[in-house]
Amino acid sequence: MDESREIERRALAVGKWSNLFMAVAGVLTAWLSRSDAMLVDGLYSAVNFISAIAAARIGARVGLPPTRSRPWGHDFDEVLYVTFRSLILIGILVFAAIVSGTKIWTFFTGGEVPELVFGPIVIYSVTIVLICLALAFNYHRAYRKSGKRSALLKTETRAALIDGALSVGAGAALLSLPFLEDTPLGPYVPIGDAVIVMILILAIIWQPLGSFRATLADLAGVSAPGSTHAKVLRAARDLCRDRGYTLHRAAVLQAGRMHYAAVYLDPQKAVTAQEIDGFQSDLSARVEKSLGPTRVEIIVTARGGLPPSPPLLPQKA
């Protein structure tokens, strides 16, 4: 766990400063070129920079033992990070859509739209694409070396690829606008930048929306995927058979890279607390071989199945 955390920390540190450079470069290029697409790209990198700072702190806490103030540990911090990061990215894309929509409206109502300056766009696009590709490779390599269990590194890999794709798409589309001057689309070249932003938003907004939906399920306590639940249930069933216990059911949740498993069983005989602790330790070891870090709790009960629903309160007349 310590080695994985160190690999993750180094990858996030490289990404943090790279995104700061790209954010400053994006905003500066947007100012020099008068391009909304470059502004969106710069703001996206700024979010990545701020997120990298938060991710480094969260990554250092994930997996730490529970405390009095955090009886279930800090594992859900990782899910919160991915959730709010997705919301911020969605907010930036909505802001960009409003800005671009305003420019299009201004154009069609006879207002003046500033002309683009293409020189800074060329330099920025080439530089940023190379940096994003290098970052995505670095994140993915760290993700593999750390056991493919870090939601932080997985999220940052996707973010770097999206940032690179955003730069490629925006740069290529903007640089192609001058070639449309002598075509039927020539009169609309002044709003080509805004149209490109709209197209890019439609292309990439599904990624943060998908991440938000997935992490929202984790925060809501939705059961882990069926394959994950089956692995816990199989390990618990085998171990109960060895000990002569009756297994009622298992409940499994996921929070980022950490899993939570509650196993309900009936020993069918007198047992000591030490024996239950030994069962819990053995089950944790088996589950972690297939799932990775897992917090296992054993509930000794004679009642099988799901808990009964609470009784309905009588309605007032």
Side-chain angles (χ1 to χ4, degrees), residues 287-304:
V287 171
E288 288 193 0
K289 287 183 179 179
S290 57
L291 292 183
T294 306
R295 299 189 190 276
V296 177
E297 298 293 338
I298 306 299
I299 295 90
V300 177
T301 176
R303 185 175 59 195

Side-chain angles (χ1 to χ4, degrees), residues 53-139:
I53 297 175
R57 295 182 178 181
I58 291 171
R61 294 198 298 262
V62 171
L64 292 179
T67 62
R68 183 183 296 273
S69 60
R70 301 294 294 270
W72 294 101
H74 298 268
D75 307 319
F76 276 90
D77 291 359
E78 186 175 17
V79 183
L80 285 171
Y81 159 78
V82 177
T83 302
F84 283 103
R85 188 182 190 283
S86 300
L87 285 175
I88 292 173
L89 291 177
I90 292 170
I92 286 180
L93 294 177
V94 171
F95 165 75
I98 293 173
V99 171
S100 297
T102 302
K103 179 179 284 189
I104 294 173
W105 175 262
T106 300
F107 175 79
F108 282 107
T109 54
E112 184 178 354
V113 177
E115 186 177 350
L116 296 178
V117 179
F118 294 97
I121 296 175
V122 177
I123 300 172
Y124 172 82
S125 297
V126 174
T127 303
I128 298 307
V129 168
L130 294 176
I131 293 176
C132 287
L133 289 176
L135 276 180
F137 174 78
N138 185 50
Y139 284 137

Side-chain angles (χ1 to χ4, degrees), residues 16 19-20 45-56 81 85 88:
K16 176 176 66 176
N19 279 297
L20 177 61
S45 297
V47 171
N48 288 342
F49 167 68
I50 297 172
S51 298
I53 297 175
Y81 159 78
R85 188 182 190 283
I88 292 173

Side-chain angles (χ1 to χ4, degrees), residues 1 146-149 227-228 230-232 234-236 238-239 257-259 261 280-296:
M1 178 67 75
S146 59
K148 296 184 179 182
R149 297 191 179 107
S227 58
T228 300
K231 291 178 181 178
V232 175
R234 188 181 305 115
D238 292 343
L239 197 57
R257 77 195 70 181
M258 185 67 70
H259 293 85
Q280 188 266 350
S281 298
D282 293 342
L283 182 58
S284 294
R286 293 192 183 191
V287 171
E288 288 193 0
K289 287 183 179 179
S290 57
L291 292 183
T294 306
R295 299 189 190 276
V296 177

